[in-house]
Structure formats: C-alpha cells, structure tokens
Amino acid sequence: MPKKKIEKTMLTDWEWTLVWSSMRYFMGRQTIASATWPADLIKNYDTYFTQGQRGMIYRELNQYFNEYSAFGNPDIDSEHWERLMHYMNKDNRYLVQAKYKEKGETIEDAVICFKHKDVYCSVEKYAKSPYHNWYMVPEYITNVREIISDEQLLKN
C-alpha cells in the first residue's frame, strides 16, 4: 500500500530551533557558508515560517546590524544578510509600478517589493530565487506607494 504524502505547512519546534540556532551562529561568521546561508534559508524554508517567526528573524538581524553595522565580512557576507533582514521586515513593503518596452511593446507592471538599500527588490522573485540580485530598474519606475499593514494602521 503506497504511503500518503503529508503536506508540510509549518516548521516543527525542532526545525525552528535549528533554523534559529544556525542563524545566530552564521550571522557573524566570515565564510562562504555564511554568505550563502540567507539564500539557502529562503529557498528551503521561507514558505514554512509563521509571521511571528519572520518577525523574530527580522528583529534579531536588525539588532545585530545596529550593534555591529555589518554581518561577517562587510564586503562579502553583509549584503546577503542585509537583503534577508529587509525581506523579513513585513513593514517594508511597497507597490512599485514600472513602465518599460519589451520586444517593441510597452509593458506596464505593478510589483510588490521590499526596499533594500536604495533599490526595490521583488518579493516574489527573491522568494523564488534568492541567489540572484533581483531589483526593479530605477529608470523604469513610475510610481512607488508604501503598503500599510493592518498593524501599522492600528498604531496610528
């Protein structure tokens, strides 16, 4: 009799403990493993995080960054960790509208992005392929609107 496939929807407590512990271990290291860990995390576990876990990851990374101003080697590791930190911040979401030409046709598009340094990165593209540096081409951007979460509205 074939076994039924069990759909995984969230991390077990043990998996979360491993993710949390390895994050705290790697975020200050200066190795290739440290530079690739943020993308590996998104590629393998992103869909299983609860909003609470995302918030914990963001707060931990933000606290570390505020204290040390870089993750691992500032020229190699930090870029990957900072992108992860900004992606995990649920209050860092923008609707970015762009207009560009593709094969002679004018395309108008609206993409949900997170801001990382001075560029807007597609949430969807980063989640699907975190090893690439996806961002909206600034020259094509026609409008940017901050997306206000329900929690932000309640605070105001």
Side-chain angles (χ1 to χ4, degrees), residues 1-7:
M1 175 182 239
K3 292 184 178 182
K4 291 183 181 179
K5 185 177 179 182
I6 298 172
E7 279 296 316

Side-chain angles (χ1 to χ4, degrees), residues 70-135:
F71 295 95
N73 184 313
D75 299 325
I76 299 170
D77 306 310
S78 201
E79 174 72 19
H80 306 284
W81 286 90
E82 289 175 49
R83 191 176 305 122
L84 173 65
M85 177 178 67
H86 293 130
Y87 173 74
M88 288 293 182
N89 180 359
K90 66 180 171 50
D91 294 330
N92 181 21
R93 294 294 183 266
Y94 299 85
L95 181 63
V96 178
Q97 295 174 300
K99 187 176 184 178
Y100 55 95
K101 289 200 182 267
E102 188 174 282
K103 297 179 183 174
E105 186 179 334
T106 299
I107 309 289
E108 292 189 51
D109 202 2
V111 179
I112 295 175
C113 295
F114 63 97
K115 192 169 186 178
H116 169 62
K117 297 193 176 179
D118 291 330
V119 296
Y120 294 96
C121 305
S122 166
V123 168
E124 181 181 2
K125 286 189 176 185
Y126 180 70
K128 286 184 180 177
S129 187
Y131 303 101
H132 296 91
N133 188 15
W134 298 109
Y135 64 92

